[in-house]
Amino acid sequence: MSQKHLKEAFISNLNGTSLLEISAGLVLAPLCLLCRGLLLILYYLHYGKDLHSRKYSLLLDFLVLISPLLFCCTVLSQIIFFMPPIIATFCAGIFYVIYSQKKHEIQVPFRQIVKDFQKTPLDPEYIPAITVFRVYVNVLTSISILAVDFPQYPRRYAKAETYGTGVMDLGVGAFIFGNALVCPEVRCKSYVRQPTFSSLAKQLFSIWPLIFLGIGRLLSVKSLEYHEHTSEYGVHWNFFFTLAFVRLVASLLLAVFPKTKSWVIAINLAVLYQVILNTTSLKMFILHGSNGRDTRVGFLNANREGLLSFFGYLAIYMASVQVGLCLLKCRPSVRGWTEAVCFSLPIICMLFMFLHVSQVYADPVSRRMANLSYCIWVVAHCLTLFLSFVVTDLTLVFTKLLVKGASVPCCWDIGKPPSTSGRHGMEAVPVWREGKLSHICLISAINKNQLLFFLLANVMTGAINLLIDTVRSKAAFTLCILHLYMFFSCLIMHVLHAKNIVLKFW
């Protein structure tokens, strides 16, 4: 078997993992973010100043925010369920040290501190959890697209062939979800005025980099005879094309229908698509082609997975637009966001209940078809991950109120302190301090050039696969390659951010 066919077989005919294991893995990112924030606050508490060194900040961010994820998706994957409790215990220990050292300065009961915390005003113009969510989806995807070619990356985490819930299956949908959260229709201040058709020209222009990247990937894969999983999107189609056309069609729909009703469009689209799959021969066509023997003759047969799964991804995008509109409603205090989290929890539980019903009575989760169960699964898990980041931010805000003047990058800016806070010795962090520290934050650096980061990861993944026999690599070598690969990507983003360079001209 040639190297190309060996690598293709290595990532084919897989069945995914359990929902519980994926949930355990998703918790790691918010816990790493919490750990980084608490360590920075502890540093300020001990030294009376923030960590301003760019070199040490990058090193800290990489070791705390990126490296644990690399280990947990490779050599530590067998004990993945133990990792969240271990990191959570470490974070609890840091918080205990901070609170113990500040307790003698704050002469009020802990319950009163919590009441004052609930009244703390937050910057309503910026929701850091959205930025962190989008960056981490990008980071986790970048890790997985290379790690999947190494044997240390569990096969159950890779994309499932037809049915199943692999980690990489979720990553595709999460990319769609994250893009919808910051689409122009969501960021528009007005909830009444509809996007005009003239704005569609801007949307058409904005997606040309994705079309260009899709064509570039197609040409490079074919010319280099790079290994590819044909049943993923088809012979010529790829995710860049899907993302581009989802954005374009969603803009058309939102120009016609009220964006506040995008959830109605999402439900109708996903349910109708599932009904058609179950009542017609469409499902058999997607899985086996027009002749029932997996033919790839003709453009539609060759790219049937990518072309028809488009409807499921469009449903996810429209549902995510509704989520974005709800998130951007002004909640200028900790209490407002606490209520939002409490309100969202029953919705997430309902989604998982619907997921169970859909898998039993309609169809199991299939990323290949992007069916109803897949749409529900993606939205449910993405909402869970996003709320985890919100809870992390609120925890860091509380800790910053205990330590006067401490700053954490990519965390909520705090406005004026509540009137009772001054009496109890608590002080809010000035907004300018958050902005000052943001220039040495890895998350801010990646966020500023997200598409470049993802493109760089794809190019390096291809180069490494062409140069290295990844399938037969040992664990130590794999970890070295993955760390160098991610550190080099992060370093480039860090340098560009430090020089205030944004490589975006569309």
Side-chain angles (χ1 to χ4, degrees), residues 436-454:
K436 183 178 179 181
L437 197 61
S438 66
H439 73 282
I440 50 174
C441 174
L442 181 58
I443 293 174
S444 297
I446 296 174
N447 181 59
K448 185 170 283 189
N449 287 287
Q450 285 216 47
L451 185 57
L452 176 64
F453 180 80
F454 186 61

Side-chain angles (χ1 to χ4, degrees), residues 297-315:
V297 178
F299 182 78
L300 185 57
N301 268 303
N303 302 287
R304 55 184 185 267
E305 293 91 350
L307 292 171
L308 294 171
S309 64
F310 166 84
F311 297 103
Y313 290 122
L314 181 59

Side-chain angles (χ1 to χ4, degrees), residues 99-401:
Y99 181 72
S100 298
Q101 295 191 25
K102 298 298 296 182
K103 188 175 181 180
H104 67 281
E105 298 180 18
I106 306 173
Q107 301 299 325
V108 290
F110 186 79
R111 183 177 299 178
Q112 183 61 45
I113 296 175
V114 173
K115 288 182 179 180
D116 289 344
F117 166 66
Q118 287 288 319
K119 301 174 186 177
T120 303
L122 301 173
D123 178 10
E125 299 296 324
Y126 173 59
I127 304 173
I130 293 178
T131 299
V132 174
F133 175 88
R134 297 182 72 242
V135 167
Y136 256 116
V137 167
N138 206 332
V139 167
L140 290 169
T141 303
S142 299
I143 292 173
S144 295
I145 59 175
L146 177 59
V148 70
D149 295 315
F150 290 91
Q152 287 73 28
Y153 188 87
R155 297 300 89 194
R156 64 185 185 277
Y157 288 0
K159 290 177 181 176
E161 184 69 27
T162 301
Y163 295 105
T165 51
V167 174
M168 295 185 71
D169 293 314
L170 178 62
V172 176
F175 239 106
I176 297 287
F177 186 95
N179 272 269
L181 290 181
V182 295
C183 71
E185 292 82 6
V186 169
R187 288 185 277 120
C188 179
K189 294 291 183 182
S190 172
Y191 288 86
V192 180
R193 181 175 60 85
Q194 293 302 305
T196 61
F197 283 98
S198 61
S199 67
L200 295 178
K202 296 181 179 178
Q203 283 284 31
L204 183 61
F205 180 71
S206 69
I207 66 171
W208 76 261
L210 295 172
I211 301 293
F212 178 78
L213 291 174
I215 295 173
R217 188 184 191 284
L218 171 63
L219 294 177
S220 60
V221 167
K222 299 302 180 183
S223 61
L224 295 173
E225 295 188 354
Y226 190 76
H227 66 278
E228 56 182 331
H229 193 184
T230 304
S231 64
E232 185 177 349
Y233 295 106
V235 178
H236 311 105
W237 203 261
N238 57 59
F239 183 63
F240 290 113
F241 292 140
T242 294
L243 188 57
F245 285 104
V246 163
R247 284 182 57 180
L248 182 60
V249 175
S251 296
L252 286 169
L253 290 174
L254 293 170
V256 177
F257 300 100
K259 62 182 180 181
T260 53
K261 301 297 181 181
S262 57
W263 65 275
V264 177
I265 302 173
I267 292 175
N268 280 280
L269 190 60
V271 171
L272 179 61
Y273 177 51
Q274 184 63 55
V275 169
I276 294 173
L277 284 173
N278 285 1
T279 57
T280 69
S281 60
L282 183 63
K283 183 190 298 185
M284 294 303 295
F285 172 72
I286 295 175
L287 298 181
H288 305 294
S290 58
N291 66 351
R293 290 178 291 182
D294 199 26
T295 178
R296 293 290 174 179
V297 178
F299 182 78
L300 185 57
N301 268 303
N303 302 287
R304 55 184 185 267
E305 293 91 350
L307 292 171
L308 294 171
S309 64
F310 166 84
F311 297 103
Y313 290 122
L314 181 59
I316 294 172
Y317 190 95
M318 298 303 292
S320 306
V321 168
Q322 188 69 58
V323 172
L325 291 174
C326 294
L327 291 175
L328 292 181
K329 288 181 179 178
C330 185
R331 294 187 177 93
S333 68
V334 168
R335 184 183 300 277
W337 276 99
T338 303
E339 292 172 353
V341 171
C342 295
F343 174 77
S344 300
L345 290 176
I347 295 177
I348 292 174
C349 292
M350 288 177 58
L351 285 172
F352 278 110
M353 288 174 57
F354 290 147
L355 174 61
H356 175 72
V357 172
S358 177
Q359 292 208 95
V360 172
Y361 295 102
D363 227 1
V365 172
S366 172
R367 185 260 324 145
R368 186 175 178 181
M369 292 183 284
N371 58 4
L372 176 63
S373 296
Y374 178 77
C375 295
I376 299 173
W377 175 55
V378 168
V379 174
H381 265 89
C382 287
L383 267 178
T384 303
L385 179 59
F386 178 82
L387 289 184
S388 300
F389 285 126
V390 171
V391 172
T392 297
D393 272 339
L394 293 176
T395 305
L396 292 175
V397 168
F398 180 82
T399 312
K400 288 194 295 182
L401 289 172

Side-chain angles (χ1 to χ4, degrees), residues 454-466:
F454 186 61
L455 176 60
L456 182 63
N458 275 269
V459 171
M460 286 199 295
T461 295
I464 291 171
N465 268 281
L466 292 173

